[in-house]
Short mmCIF file of all heavy atoms in Angstrom, two decimals:
data_model
loop_
_atom_site.label_atom_id
_atom_site.label_comp_id
_atom_site.label_asym_id
_atom_site.label_seq_id
_atom_site.Cartn_x
_atom_site.Cartn_y
_atom_site.Cartn_z
N ALA P 299 241.08 212.61 71.84
CA ALA P 299 242.36 211.94 71.51
C ALA P 299 242.27 211.65 70.07
O ALA P 299 241.94 210.44 69.69
CB ALA P 299 242.35 210.65 72.39
N CYS P 300 242.78 212.52 69.31
CA CYS P 300 242.68 212.45 67.81
C CYS P 300 243.99 212.80 67.15
O CYS P 300 244.26 213.93 66.84
CB CYS P 300 241.61 213.43 67.27
SG CYS P 300 241.35 213.39 65.65
N ASP P 301 244.80 211.78 67.09
CA ASP P 301 246.11 211.91 66.54
C ASP P 301 246.04 212.50 65.04
O ASP P 301 245.30 211.96 64.26
CB ASP P 301 246.83 210.49 66.57
CG ASP P 301 248.11 210.29 66.01
OD1 ASP P 301 249.10 210.46 66.77
OD2 ASP P 301 248.23 210.11 64.81
N GLY P 302 246.93 213.35 64.72
CA GLY P 302 247.00 214.10 63.48
C GLY P 302 246.95 213.15 62.30
O GLY P 302 246.20 213.23 61.39
N PRO P 303 248.09 212.24 62.24
CA PRO P 303 248.07 211.29 61.06
C PRO P 303 246.83 210.39 61.04
O PRO P 303 246.47 210.09 59.92
CB PRO P 303 249.36 210.53 61.44
CG PRO P 303 250.23 211.50 62.12
CD PRO P 303 249.25 212.19 62.99
N LEU P 304 246.41 209.98 62.14
CA LEU P 304 245.14 209.12 62.12
C LEU P 304 243.98 209.91 61.58
O LEU P 304 243.17 209.38 60.84
CB LEU P 304 244.85 208.62 63.65
CG LEU P 304 243.70 207.59 63.74
CD1 LEU P 304 244.07 206.33 62.89
CD2 LEU P 304 243.48 207.20 65.16
N ALA P 305 243.81 211.20 62.06
CA ALA P 305 242.75 211.97 61.49
C ALA P 305 242.91 212.10 59.99
O ALA P 305 241.92 211.97 59.19
CB ALA P 305 242.82 213.39 62.07
N ALA P 306 244.13 212.28 59.43
CA ALA P 306 244.40 212.43 58.04
C ALA P 306 243.99 211.09 57.28
O ALA P 306 243.40 211.20 56.17
CB ALA P 306 245.86 212.82 57.72
N VAL P 307 244.43 209.94 57.87
CA VAL P 307 244.02 208.63 57.32
C VAL P 307 242.55 208.52 57.12
O VAL P 307 241.99 207.99 56.11
CB VAL P 307 244.71 207.58 58.15
CG1 VAL P 307 244.06 206.11 57.76
CG2 VAL P 307 246.20 207.41 57.88
N VAL P 308 241.93 208.75 58.22
CA VAL P 308 240.41 208.61 58.37
C VAL P 308 239.78 209.59 57.29
O VAL P 308 238.82 209.19 56.64
CB VAL P 308 239.95 208.83 59.74
CG1 VAL P 308 238.38 209.00 59.78
CG2 VAL P 308 240.28 207.75 60.68
N ALA P 309 240.31 210.77 57.29
CA ALA P 309 239.68 211.79 56.33
C ALA P 309 239.89 211.27 54.98
O ALA P 309 238.93 211.35 54.03
CB ALA P 309 240.24 213.17 56.55
N GLY P 310 241.08 210.87 54.61
CA GLY P 310 241.37 210.35 53.26
C GLY P 310 240.48 209.12 52.84
O GLY P 310 239.94 209.11 51.72
N LEU P 311 240.38 208.19 53.78
CA LEU P 311 239.66 207.02 53.43
C LEU P 311 238.21 207.43 53.27
O LEU P 311 237.47 206.85 52.40
CB LEU P 311 239.87 205.98 54.58
CG LEU P 311 239.33 204.55 54.20
CD1 LEU P 311 240.10 203.93 53.11
CD2 LEU P 311 239.12 203.75 55.28
N ALA P 312 237.66 208.24 54.21
CA ALA P 312 236.23 208.71 54.14
C ALA P 312 235.97 209.30 52.80
O ALA P 312 235.03 209.00 52.11
CB ALA P 312 235.88 209.57 55.29
N ALA P 313 236.98 210.35 52.41
CA ALA P 313 236.73 210.83 51.11
C ALA P 313 236.78 209.86 49.97
O ALA P 313 235.98 209.97 48.98
CB ALA P 313 237.73 212.06 50.89
N ALA P 314 237.64 208.84 49.98
CA ALA P 314 237.77 207.88 48.96
C ALA P 314 236.44 207.08 48.80
O ALA P 314 236.00 206.80 47.76
CB ALA P 314 239.01 207.00 49.17
N HIS P 315 235.92 206.66 50.04
CA HIS P 315 234.67 205.89 50.07
C HIS P 315 233.61 206.76 49.39
O HIS P 315 232.73 206.25 48.68
CB HIS P 315 234.29 205.46 51.50
CG HIS P 315 235.03 204.15 51.88
ND1 HIS P 315 234.45 202.94 51.93
CD2 HIS P 315 236.27 203.95 52.20
CE1 HIS P 315 235.29 202.06 52.35
NE2 HIS P 315 236.46 202.59 52.45
N ALA P 316 233.46 208.02 49.88
CA ALA P 316 232.43 209.03 49.36
C ALA P 316 232.53 209.22 47.76
O ALA P 316 231.58 208.97 47.12
CB ALA P 316 232.63 210.34 49.96
N LEU P 317 233.82 209.24 47.30
CA LEU P 317 233.99 209.42 45.86
C LEU P 317 233.61 208.08 45.12
O LEU P 317 233.02 208.24 44.09
CB LEU P 317 235.45 209.86 45.53
CG LEU P 317 235.85 211.34 45.92
CD1 LEU P 317 237.28 211.42 45.80
CD2 LEU P 317 235.08 212.26 44.95
N SER P 318 234.02 206.96 45.68
CA SER P 318 233.63 205.75 45.11
C SER P 318 232.02 205.63 44.92
O SER P 318 231.55 205.29 43.90
CB SER P 318 234.18 204.59 45.82
OG SER P 318 233.67 203.36 45.36
#
Side-chain angles (χ1 to χ4, degrees):
C300 182
D301 179 86
L304 186 59
V307 162
V308 166
L311 191 70
H315 278 255
L317 286 169
S318 173

